[in-house]
Amino acid sequence: MTLGSLRLTVSDTTGGIYTLVIRIDTDMTVEVGALGERQFGAGWYAYVGSALGPGGFGRIDRHRELAAGERGTRHWHVDYLLGHPGAALASVHRSPGVDAECATARALAGERVSAFGCSDCDCDSHLVYQAAREPLLATVERAHDSLSGGD
């Protein structure tokens, strides 16, 4: 489906859940909206979000634009992190047609960043940290594979 110059697939409009993998090269402090100043250590972070609302997976394009400095408006906690010049969006993992944002966030292994990305649910956090990339990617892939019936 094409909408103007924006090319959408069926899964883009239906949505599901996604996990953003974010790299931070040096320790930094970020003002995260109502959460206030937060410290982020160098390493790898995984943020689980929902794309079930209007626009579906088009939300990921918005995150990419913000991370690239092409957008300045911040709505969600992850926007403040992605909008910092010390953070880089490394990869995105999608599970189309799935409504399991909280279950996926809980399934990720790592150090939880307290109250991040979960102001609309009862979770402790939707952002986890690991020092190394490979263990974080492994936990993200396992969480998403379990939603699609994979190993």
Side-chain angles (χ1 to χ4, degrees), residues 34-67:
L35 291 179
E37 281 192 357
R38 291 295 179 103
Q39 304 295 316
F40 294 91
W44 293 85
Y45 293 80
Y47 168 79
V48 179
S50 170
L52 292 169
F57 283 116
R59 181 172 290 185
I60 294 169
D61 291 334
R62 186 188 173 290
H63 291 313
R64 284 188 175 124
E65 291 168 4
L66 206 138

Side-chain angles (χ1 to χ4, degrees), residues 107-109 130 135-147 150-151:
L108 296 180
Q130 288 198 24
L136 183 68
L137 285 179
T139 192
V140 168
E141 290 168 4
R142 272 193 310 274
H144 281 269
D145 284 349
S146 72
L147 297 171
D151 297 346

Side-chain angles (χ1 to χ4, degrees), residues 87-138:
L89 181 57
S91 64
V92 178
H93 303 260
R94 301 180 195 203
S95 288
V98 174
D99 184 2
E101 178 185 9
C102 294
T104 304
R106 286 190 300 268
L108 296 180
E111 181 182 324
R112 304 213 176 279
V113 178
S114 178
F116 195 100
C118 59
S119 56
D120 60 349
C121 66
D122 292 331
C123 294
D124 294 335
S125 181
H126 281 207
L127 181 72
V128 299
Y129 163 82
Q130 288 198 24
R133 177 181 177 265
E134 291 310 315
L136 183 68
L137 285 179

